[in-house]
Amino acid sequence: MSISEMDFRPAVRPTPPPRSMRSLRDRRDELTSRVALGNQDSVRRRRKLGKRTARERLELLLDEGSFVEVEMFRRGTTGAHTDGVVAGSGTVDGRRIFVYAQDFTISGGSLGAAHAEKIHKVMDLALATGSPIVSVNDSGGARIQEGVLALHGYGGIFRRQVEASGIVPQIAVVLGPCAGGAAYSPALADFTFMVRDTAQMYLTGPDVVAAVSGERVTHNQLGGADVHGSLSGVASFVHDDEESCLADVRYLLSLLPANNMEPPPAFGVSSGDDLRPALPDLVPVEPNQPYDIRGVVAEVVDDGEFLEVHEGWAGNVVCALARMGGEVVGVVGNQPLVLAGVLDTAASQKAARFVRFCDAFNIPLVTLVDVPGFLPGTDQEYGGAIRHGAKLLYAYCEASVPRVQVILRKAYGGAYIVMDSRSIGCDLSLAWPTNEIAVMGAEAAVNVVHRKELAASADPDALRAALMVEYAEELVHPYYAAERGLVDDVIDPAQTRAAVLRGLAMLRDKRRRTPARKHGNVPL
């Protein structure tokens, strides 16, 4: 019988037989059932709000019957068994993960010493066994009654997250409030999932904001899923309901290795024709015409399927996990539909974090380039565009996984360098015949280089047009970079998938030795 079925048992149960007549198993089962059922009044209130219990959420996440709970009978200052967190291990598609789910029906899921120690235990076990960690967050925050002990418990979680970073994947699922210091746990995770209307994350709540600044905001306006999915970039994925959210957590786990010592799980694919005749028609030849880079990604990857990360934030760059030839790859591509695909502070941060994750977990990188440059303006410069752009530059330079670059159209200036160019360590650079690799576009270049001639000309427009043609023919033609060894091949766009697959196969056994050091200093 599942936990969710047990929850609907009648409130009035038959009188148990005298203690002397019950077996040890009966006694244990009775206690286990009582703990698992929890506070039925609180459970009913949650159901009226459309929310599931912690155990029901784990049933959606894990393979049926796979959950092994630890410290079910643990008590803290709440006096209730579990102390407000269900913790243990289970499988997803047969692969081991460790998990904990906070139980809002017990003291609002607040974190005290016993609650924290249970989380510490599963995190330690995950690291010891090399298994992913999934946290289901639904808590009012630190248990005020326990004072500094609660804060000490959070600190232990954060320290373990940092220790596990880059060793095992960490996924945070926010299905309720996550306030104060608790918000740092999802922020430290590799991926954060949130559900609209029910999940909120913030450091200081609406009441504190109103008291300090006079600003009146709701919980959702301050830290709802859409806020973190589109404005702050804290949420990697946003969903409408818990079912689709937890289903996507399972899908994400299917794309990730258990730890940094293993390759991602691969699945064999039939050896079919990798020609993609639709690709040339997806990308306009005219450099200023927009198109959706997702269409190109769908044509290149297996079955057109990919999982886009941060879909609602920094839309001018697309980051996605997919499979090519059955093996997992990370795809980074400029998005001409948004801001013409330029790089800005948010896009640089988004892509840099994704590149570093892929490198940490042995996921090859495929970079699709169509970038006119960095977004100009005082807002960008004052906001640290140089520093944020350097994050992406650093991430690619540091990456030791196989790296394949495909230049679709524009590749101008410093943005070309940053988008995994040959000069910063790309292993294989491919280009379409429409590629334009240059310091800047022809018109901008002519206006700078020939400004005196244009100013003195009787017909500056005609002269500019002629000079632009001359500039393009001499410096921006498709084979200029290939002739100088900066592009490995100029390919037929329809052959893109086949060329990338050949490149990844060639690079499969790539190894790179790095100099001994404690760590680099990322331009944070």
Side-chain angles (χ1 to χ4, degrees), residues 388-431:
H388 294 300
K391 293 177 184 178
L392 182 54
L393 180 63
Y394 192 106
Y396 269 123
C397 288
E398 186 182 44
S400 60
V401 293
R403 292 154 53 186
V404 178
Q405 177 198 49
V406 184
I407 303 170
L408 307 181
R409 210 168 52 168
K410 303 182 296 297
Y412 294 158
Y416 154 68
I417 301 173
V418 166
M419 289 296 294
D420 203 19
S421 65
R422 170 62 57 77
S423 58
I424 64 171
C426 168
D427 297 303
L428 183 67
S429 179
L430 307 171

Side-chain angles (χ1 to χ4, degrees), residues 428-448:
L428 183 67
S429 179
L430 307 171
W432 286 12
T434 46
N435 83 82
E436 297 182 0
I437 307 174
V439 174
M440 58 184 69
E443 183 175 2
V446 165
N447 287 337
V448 172

Side-chain angles (χ1 to χ4, degrees), residues 14-258:
T15 303
R19 185 179 181 86
S20 59
M21 296 176 58
R22 286 180 286 162
S23 68
L24 292 176
R25 178 177 294 176
D26 290 336
R27 295 177 189 179
R28 195 264 180 194
D29 288 348
E30 180 189 343
L31 180 57
T32 301
S33 297
R34 185 158 60 252
V35 173
L37 285 167
N39 185 323
Q40 286 298 287
D41 288 337
S42 296
V43 169
R44 281 190 285 272
R45 285 195 295 271
R46 287 182 66 76
R47 290 222 173 93
K48 287 181 180 179
L49 296 173
K51 295 183 178 182
R52 287 176 169 76
T53 66
R55 297 179 187 280
E56 289 171 337
R57 289 165 173 172
L58 293 182
E59 286 183 352
L60 285 175
L61 174 64
L62 301 171
D63 296 339
E64 185 176 357
S66 69
F67 183 53
V68 178
E69 187 168 355
V70 299
E71 299 192 6
M72 173 187 278
F73 305 114
R74 185 74 178 261
R75 282 177 169 175
T77 55
T78 63
H81 291 294
T82 75
D83 201 48
V85 61
V86 181
S89 177
T91 61
V92 173
D93 296 326
R95 302 169 68 223
R96 176 68 50 194
I97 71 165
F98 282 81
V99 62
Y100 65 87
Q102 293 176 314
D103 184 354
F104 199 83
T105 67
I106 297 177
S107 293
S110 61
L111 183 139
H115 183 123
E117 286 166 8
K118 290 180 64 175
I119 295 174
H120 297 169
K121 181 179 179 69
V122 295
M123 295 181 78
D124 290 341
L125 290 173
L127 195 56
T129 60
S131 306
I133 304 168
V134 178
S135 64
V136 181
N137 298 265
D138 188 359
S139 168
R143 195 171 297 160
I144 298 172
Q145 300 91 322
E146 296 195 31
V148 71
L149 289 177
L151 302 180
H152 180 71
Y154 274 126
I157 295 172
F158 304 154
R159 175 171 59 82
R160 286 169 172 81
Q161 284 188 267
V162 173
E163 288 175 353
S165 182
I167 299 177
V168 296
Q170 300 180 60
I171 299 172
V173 186
V174 184
L175 300 181
C178 188
Y184 283 117
S185 185
L188 287 170
D190 296 309
F191 300 99
T192 300
F193 289 75
M194 294 185 73
V195 171
R196 289 185 176 91
D197 299 326
T198 60
Q200 298 94 28
M201 255 194 306
Y202 40 70
L203 294 177
T204 54
D207 293 341
V208 176
V209 170
V212 173
S213 68
E215 184 181 6
R216 298 287 180 181
V217 289
T218 65
H219 291 279
N220 276 326
Q221 288 171 338
L222 184 60
D226 287 320
V227 168
H228 289 305
S230 61
L231 299 178
S232 73
V234 173
S236 314
F237 304 96
V238 174
H239 290 82
D240 290 326
D241 53 70
E242 294 185 10
E243 295 93 336
S244 62
C245 176
L246 293 169
D248 257 10
V249 174
R250 288 178 60 92
Y251 179 38
L252 173 60
L253 285 165
S254 76
L255 297 168
L256 305 181

